[in-house]
Amino acid sequence: PIPCVPWQSQTSGQYQRRVHGDRYLTLLMKTKLLRIEEKQLVEAIQMSLEEYNENKPSDEKLDEQSFPVDINLAEAAIPSIPPEPPMSDKTTNLRIQLPDGKKLVRRFNLDSKAQLIYNWCANEIKSRDINLMTRFPKKVLGEEDFSKTLRELKFRNIQLFLTMKEK
């Protein structure tokens, strides 16, 4: 028989697939498809610009330094994250479980806003279409929570779960 808890000889991904079935696999496929589509879009833009540049007279050709084509627009829209603070009594370690079972771990200041966690996760998975949630009590973090500090939310050494927003 298959154990009913993820820590008994099965990976978290196996547990997620067993518990959530097709919905979990659909979310995984959507995530992979979005990454593939983004890559294809960048390649198509590069090819289009190359063709455009080849068909123009030489005095009108695009200057490569003034117009870089390899900018990832999704990454540009996500704010940068400050460096991880040193360990102290004013910091906390947070663990984020991704839909595919992987885990992200990072240290944050307790006085940091929850928006920083969201931005960090968005940077890590290259998407802003995500939800963060706690398991006990089950709660999806919303806009009102992002303006609160980790201390106010009582996020001290906890695990959050990341899910992809359904469209």
Side-chain angles (χ1 to χ4, degrees), residues 50-80:
E50 288 170 6
E51 289 174 12
Y52 177 74
N53 204 15
E54 289 173 3
N55 295 333
K56 289 185 87 174
S58 61
D59 60 334
E60 293 182 19
K61 290 200 184 232
L62 292 173
D63 179 14
E64 301 244 342
Q65 295 169 340
S66 65
F67 191 76
V69 270
D70 60 344
I71 292 177
N72 186 338
L73 298 178
E75 287 180 22
I78 300 172
S80 64

mmCIF file of all heavy atoms in Angstrom, residues 50-80:
data_model
loop_
_atom_site.group_PDB
_atom_site.id
_atom_site.type_symbol
_atom_site.label_atom_id
_atom_site.label_comp_id
_atom_site.label_asym_id
_atom_site.label_seq_id
_atom_site.Cartn_x
_atom_site.Cartn_y
_atom_site.Cartn_z
ATOM 1 N N GLU A 50 16.270 40.549 -36.624
ATOM 2 C CA GLU A 50 17.363 40.252 -37.541
ATOM 3 C C GLU A 50 16.913 40.418 -38.992
ATOM 4 O O GLU A 50 17.621 41.007 -39.801
ATOM 5 C CB GLU A 50 17.891 38.832 -37.289
ATOM 6 C CG GLU A 50 18.670 38.698 -35.998
ATOM 7 C CD GLU A 50 18.969 37.255 -35.641
ATOM 8 O OE1 GLU A 50 18.672 36.334 -36.449
ATOM 9 O OE2 GLU A 50 19.525 37.037 -34.550
ATOM 10 N N GLU A 51 15.716 39.902 -39.309
ATOM 11 C CA GLU A 51 15.180 40.054 -40.667
ATOM 12 C C GLU A 51 14.956 41.521 -40.994
ATOM 13 O O GLU A 51 15.285 41.989 -42.084
ATOM 14 C CB GLU A 51 13.864 39.288 -40.816
ATOM 15 C CG GLU A 51 14.017 37.791 -40.825
ATOM 16 C CD GLU A 51 12.670 37.072 -40.817
ATOM 17 O OE1 GLU A 51 11.624 37.732 -41.034
ATOM 18 O OE2 GLU A 51 12.675 35.853 -40.593
ATOM 19 N N TYR A 52 14.409 42.262 -40.059
ATOM 20 C CA TYR A 52 14.155 43.684 -40.254
ATOM 21 C C TYR A 52 15.465 44.427 -40.494
ATOM 22 O O TYR A 52 15.568 45.273 -41.371
ATOM 23 C CB TYR A 52 13.426 44.239 -39.024
ATOM 24 C CG TYR A 52 13.163 45.721 -39.070
ATOM 25 C CD1 TYR A 52 12.176 46.245 -39.906
ATOM 26 C CD2 TYR A 52 13.889 46.606 -38.280
ATOM 27 C CE1 TYR A 52 11.914 47.593 -39.951
ATOM 28 C CE2 TYR A 52 13.640 47.956 -38.319
ATOM 29 C CZ TYR A 52 12.651 48.456 -39.155
ATOM 30 O OH TYR A 52 12.406 49.797 -39.198
ATOM 31 N N ASN A 53 16.477 44.078 -39.720
ATOM 32 C CA ASN A 53 17.775 44.727 -39.817
ATOM 33 C C ASN A 53 18.445 44.407 -41.160
ATOM 34 O O ASN A 53 19.108 45.262 -41.738
ATOM 35 C CB ASN A 53 18.655 44.298 -38.644
ATOM 36 C CG ASN A 53 19.737 45.307 -38.338
ATOM 37 O OD1 ASN A 53 19.692 46.442 -38.786
ATOM 38 N ND2 ASN A 53 20.712 44.880 -37.562
ATOM 39 N N GLU A 54 18.260 43.173 -41.661
ATOM 40 C CA GLU A 54 18.869 42.790 -42.935
ATOM 41 C C GLU A 54 18.223 43.503 -44.115
ATOM 42 O O GLU A 54 18.889 43.798 -45.105
ATOM 43 C CB GLU A 54 18.740 41.270 -43.128
ATOM 44 C CG GLU A 54 19.635 40.472 -42.211
ATOM 45 C CD GLU A 54 19.366 38.971 -42.306
ATOM 46 O OE1 GLU A 54 18.512 38.558 -43.125
ATOM 47 O OE2 GLU A 54 19.999 38.231 -41.546
ATOM 48 N N ASN A 55 16.945 43.802 -44.041
ATOM 49 C CA ASN A 55 16.222 44.411 -45.154
ATOM 50 C C ASN A 55 16.322 45.926 -45.199
ATOM 51 O O ASN A 55 15.869 46.544 -46.148
ATOM 52 C CB ASN A 55 14.740 44.009 -45.112
ATOM 53 C CG ASN A 55 14.559 42.526 -45.323
ATOM 54 O OD1 ASN A 55 15.394 41.878 -45.960
ATOM 55 N ND2 ASN A 55 13.498 41.973 -44.778
ATOM 56 N N LYS A 56 16.896 46.553 -44.193
ATOM 57 C CA LYS A 56 17.011 48.012 -44.175
ATOM 58 C C LYS A 56 18.311 48.444 -44.850
ATOM 59 O O LYS A 56 19.297 47.714 -44.840
ATOM 60 C CB LYS A 56 17.017 48.523 -42.730
ATOM 61 C CG LYS A 56 15.671 48.406 -42.052
ATOM 62 C CD LYS A 56 15.708 49.025 -40.716
ATOM 63 C CE LYS A 56 15.384 50.488 -40.904
ATOM 64 N NZ LYS A 56 15.255 51.210 -39.667
ATOM 65 N N PRO A 57 18.331 49.652 -45.399
ATOM 66 C CA PRO A 57 19.597 50.185 -45.915
ATOM 67 C C PRO A 57 20.614 50.278 -44.785
ATOM 68 O O PRO A 57 20.255 50.433 -43.621
ATOM 69 C CB PRO A 57 19.222 51.576 -46.428
ATOM 70 C CG PRO A 57 17.745 51.572 -46.560
ATOM 71 C CD PRO A 57 17.225 50.543 -45.620
ATOM 72 N N SER A 58 21.875 50.209 -45.108
ATOM 73 C CA SER A 58 22.923 50.131 -44.086
ATOM 74 C C SER A 58 22.943 51.336 -43.161
ATOM 75 O O SER A 58 23.309 51.219 -42.007
ATOM 76 C CB SER A 58 24.292 49.964 -44.744
ATOM 77 O OG SER A 58 24.557 51.087 -45.567
ATOM 78 N N ASP A 59 22.522 52.514 -43.628
ATOM 79 C CA ASP A 59 22.540 53.683 -42.753
ATOM 80 C C ASP A 59 21.383 53.676 -41.740
ATOM 81 O O ASP A 59 21.388 54.428 -40.781
ATOM 82 C CB ASP A 59 22.519 54.984 -43.560
ATOM 83 C CG ASP A 59 21.270 55.092 -44.435
ATOM 84 O OD1 ASP A 59 20.715 54.047 -44.793
ATOM 85 O OD2 ASP A 59 20.887 56.237 -44.748
ATOM 86 N N GLU A 60 20.387 52.801 -41.915
ATOM 87 C CA GLU A 60 19.255 52.726 -40.997
ATOM 88 C C GLU A 60 19.285 51.473 -40.121
ATOM 89 O O GLU A 60 18.345 51.224 -39.377
ATOM 90 C CB GLU A 60 17.938 52.731 -41.789
ATOM 91 C CG GLU A 60 17.652 54.021 -42.492
ATOM 92 C CD GLU A 60 16.318 53.970 -43.203
ATOM 93 O OE1 GLU A 60 15.476 53.102 -42.869
ATOM 94 O OE2 GLU A 60 16.115 54.793 -44.102
ATOM 95 N N LYS A 61 20.317 50.656 -40.215
ATOM 96 C CA LYS A 61 20.368 49.419 -39.434
ATOM 97 C C LYS A 61 20.392 49.718 -37.941
ATOM 98 O O LYS A 61 20.933 50.718 -37.508
ATOM 99 C CB LYS A 61 21.591 48.590 -39.831
ATOM 100 C CG LYS A 61 21.452 48.023 -41.219
ATOM 101 C CD LYS A 61 22.358 46.860 -41.426
ATOM 102 C CE LYS A 61 22.186 46.445 -42.876
ATOM 103 N NZ LYS A 61 21.899 45.088 -43.003
ATOM 104 N N LEU A 62 19.760 48.825 -37.187
ATOM 105 C CA LEU A 62 19.702 48.996 -35.741
ATOM 106 C C LEU A 62 21.074 48.796 -35.123
ATOM 107 O O LEU A 62 21.813 47.883 -35.484
ATOM 108 C CB LEU A 62 18.733 47.983 -35.122
ATOM 109 C CG LEU A 62 17.265 48.171 -35.462
ATOM 110 C CD1 LEU A 62 16.478 46.997 -34.904
ATOM 111 C CD2 LEU A 62 16.746 49.470 -34.911
ATOM 112 N N ASP A 63 21.380 49.659 -34.191
ATOM 113 C CA ASP A 63 22.618 49.527 -33.442
ATOM 114 C C ASP A 63 22.385 48.521 -32.312
ATOM 115 O O ASP A 63 21.525 48.723 -31.466
ATOM 116 C CB ASP A 63 23.019 50.889 -32.867
ATOM 117 C CG ASP A 63 24.295 50.827 -32.058
ATOM 118 O OD1 ASP A 63 25.016 49.811 -32.148
ATOM 119 O OD2 ASP A 63 24.559 51.797 -31.331
ATOM 120 N N GLU A 64 23.140 47.431 -32.291
ATOM 121 C CA GLU A 64 22.931 46.360 -31.311
ATOM 122 C C GLU A 64 23.090 46.868 -29.876
ATOM 123 O O GLU A 64 22.437 46.400 -28.968
ATOM 124 C CB GLU A 64 23.918 45.212 -31.563
ATOM 125 C CG GLU A 64 23.797 44.624 -32.933
ATOM 126 C CD GLU A 64 23.348 43.198 -32.896
ATOM 127 O OE1 GLU A 64 23.456 42.574 -31.844
ATOM 128 O OE2 GLU A 64 22.887 42.724 -33.934
ATOM 129 N N GLN A 65 23.984 47.836 -29.658
ATOM 130 C CA GLN A 65 24.196 48.315 -28.297
ATOM 131 C C GLN A 65 23.038 49.181 -27.813
ATOM 132 O O GLN A 65 22.744 49.226 -26.631
ATOM 133 C CB GLN A 65 25.499 49.096 -28.222
ATOM 134 C CG GLN A 65 26.694 48.206 -28.487
ATOM 135 C CD GLN A 65 27.954 49.007 -28.680
ATOM 136 O OE1 GLN A 65 27.909 50.182 -28.975
ATOM 137 N NE2 GLN A 65 29.087 48.344 -28.527
ATOM 138 N N SER A 66 22.360 49.877 -28.717
ATOM 139 C CA SER A 66 21.268 50.745 -28.285
ATOM 140 C C SER A 66 19.953 49.981 -28.149
ATOM 141 O O SER A 66 19.000 50.496 -27.597
ATOM 142 C CB SER A 66 21.091 51.901 -29.263
ATOM 143 O OG SER A 66 20.675 51.399 -30.519
ATOM 144 N N PHE A 67 19.895 48.749 -28.669
ATOM 145 C CA PHE A 67 18.647 47.982 -28.599
ATOM 146 C C PHE A 67 18.952 46.504 -28.347
ATOM 147 O O PHE A 67 18.955 45.709 -29.258
ATOM 148 C CB PHE A 67 17.868 48.152 -29.912
ATOM 149 C CG PHE A 67 16.464 47.614 -29.825
ATOM 150 C CD1 PHE A 67 15.481 48.320 -29.165
ATOM 151 C CD2 PHE A 67 16.133 46.399 -30.393
ATOM 152 C CE1 PHE A 67 14.195 47.830 -29.081
ATOM 153 C CE2 PHE A 67 14.844 45.899 -30.315
ATOM 154 C CZ PHE A 67 13.880 46.627 -29.659
ATOM 155 N N PRO A 68 19.225 46.143 -27.079
ATOM 156 C CA PRO A 68 19.513 44.730 -26.805
ATOM 157 C C PRO A 68 18.257 43.880 -26.954
ATOM 158 O O PRO A 68 17.206 44.230 -26.455
ATOM 159 C CB PRO A 68 19.993 44.747 -25.354
ATOM 160 C CG PRO A 68 19.403 45.974 -24.767
ATOM 161 C CD PRO A 68 19.268 46.971 -25.906
ATOM 162 N N VAL A 69 18.375 42.762 -27.681
ATOM 163 C CA VAL A 69 17.223 41.909 -27.946
ATOM 164 C C VAL A 69 17.056 40.784 -26.946
ATOM 165 O O VAL A 69 16.008 40.171 -26.903
ATOM 166 C CB VAL A 69 17.299 41.290 -29.363
ATOM 167 C CG1 VAL A 69 16.633 42.156 -30.368
ATOM 168 C CG2 VAL A 69 18.692 40.952 -29.739
ATOM 169 N N ASP A 70 18.051 40.507 -26.145
ATOM 170 C CA ASP A 70 17.947 39.352 -25.259
ATOM 171 C C ASP A 70 17.414 39.714 -23.877
ATOM 172 O O ASP A 70 17.592 38.971 -22.934
ATOM 173 C CB ASP A 70 19.304 38.644 -25.148
ATOM 174 C CG ASP A 70 20.375 39.555 -24.591
ATOM 175 O OD1 ASP A 70 20.167 40.782 -24.577
ATOM 176 O OD2 ASP A 70 21.416 39.050 -24.181
ATOM 177 N N ILE A 71 16.726 40.823 -23.741
ATOM 178 C CA ILE A 71 16.139 41.190 -22.461
ATOM 179 C C ILE A 71 14.919 40.314 -22.212
ATOM 180 O O ILE A 71 14.052 40.198 -23.063
ATOM 181 C CB ILE A 71 15.729 42.680 -22.449
ATOM 182 C CG1 ILE A 71 16.964 43.559 -22.487
ATOM 183 C CG2 ILE A 71 14.885 42.994 -21.225
ATOM 184 C CD1 ILE A 71 16.645 45.029 -22.542
ATOM 185 N N ASN A 72 14.869 39.714 -21.059
ATOM 186 C CA ASN A 72 13.711 38.914 -20.678
ATOM 187 C C ASN A 72 12.718 39.856 -20.012
ATOM 188 O O ASN A 72 12.927 40.331 -18.915
ATOM 189 C CB ASN A 72 14.138 37.802 -19.719
ATOM 190 C CG ASN A 72 13.016 36.860 -19.400
ATOM 191 O OD1 ASN A 72 11.841 37.204 -19.539
ATOM 192 N ND2 ASN A 72 13.366 35.685 -18.963
ATOM 193 N N LEU A 73 11.618 40.147 -20.696
ATOM 194 C CA LEU A 73 10.659 41.134 -20.211
ATOM 195 C C LEU A 73 10.015 40.707 -18.910
ATOM 196 O O LEU A 73 9.691 41.530 -18.065
ATOM 197 C CB LEU A 73 9.599 41.402 -21.284
ATOM 198 C CG LEU A 73 10.142 41.979 -22.584
ATOM 199 C CD1 LEU A 73 9.014 42.150 -23.586
ATOM 200 C CD2 LEU A 73 10.841 43.290 -22.350
ATOM 201 N N ALA A 74 9.800 39.419 -18.716
ATOM 202 C CA ALA A 74 9.186 38.950 -17.471
ATOM 203 C C ALA A 74 10.105 39.230 -16.287
ATOM 204 O O ALA A 74 9.658 39.627 -15.217
ATOM 205 C CB ALA A 74 8.887 37.458 -17.562
ATOM 206 N N GLU A 75 11.406 39.042 -16.453
ATOM 207 C CA GLU A 75 12.349 39.298 -15.369
ATOM 208 C C GLU A 75 12.441 40.781 -15.078
ATOM 209 O O GLU A 75 12.610 41.201 -13.944
ATOM 210 C CB GLU A 75 13.729 38.742 -15.718
ATOM 211 C CG GLU A 75 13.802 37.245 -15.663
ATOM 212 C CD GLU A 75 15.183 36.717 -16.005
ATOM 213 O OE1 GLU A 75 16.152 37.474 -15.879
ATOM 214 O OE2 GLU A 75 15.275 35.561 -16.391
ATOM 215 N N ALA A 76 12.368 41.612 -16.136
ATOM 216 C CA ALA A 76 12.481 43.051 -15.959
ATOM 217 C C ALA A 76 11.321 43.599 -15.135
ATOM 218 O O ALA A 76 11.451 44.606 -14.460
ATOM 219 C CB ALA A 76 12.546 43.738 -17.313
ATOM 220 N N ALA A 77 10.165 42.950 -15.175
ATOM 221 C CA ALA A 77 8.987 43.436 -14.456
ATOM 222 C C ALA A 77 9.011 43.074 -12.974
ATOM 223 O O ALA A 77 8.241 43.615 -12.204
ATOM 224 C CB ALA A 77 7.728 42.864 -15.098
ATOM 225 N N ILE A 78 9.885 42.181 -12.569
ATOM 226 C CA ILE A 78 9.941 41.729 -11.179
ATOM 227 C C ILE A 78 11.025 42.513 -10.445
ATOM 228 O O ILE A 78 12.160 42.569 -10.902
ATOM 229 C CB ILE A 78 10.222 40.214 -11.115
ATOM 230 C CG1 ILE A 78 9.110 39.460 -11.842
ATOM 231 C CG2 ILE A 78 10.348 39.751 -9.678
ATOM 232 C CD1 ILE A 78 9.368 37.992 -12.003
ATOM 233 N N PRO A 79 10.689 43.149 -9.307
ATOM 234 C CA PRO A 79 11.678 43.948 -8.583
ATOM 235 C C PRO A 79 12.848 43.115 -8.075
ATOM 236 O O PRO A 79 12.703 41.931 -7.822
ATOM 237 C CB PRO A 79 10.888 44.519 -7.400
ATOM 238 C CG PRO A 79 9.472 44.233 -7.653
ATOM 239 C CD PRO A 79 9.397 43.146 -8.673
ATOM 240 N N SER A 80 13.987 43.773 -7.919
ATOM 241 C CA SER A 80 15.160 43.075 -7.398
ATOM 242 C C SER A 80 14.987 42.846 -5.896
ATOM 243 O O SER A 80 14.244 43.550 -5.219
ATOM 244 C CB SER A 80 16.432 43.875 -7.674
ATOM 245 O OG SER A 80 16.371 45.104 -6.982
#
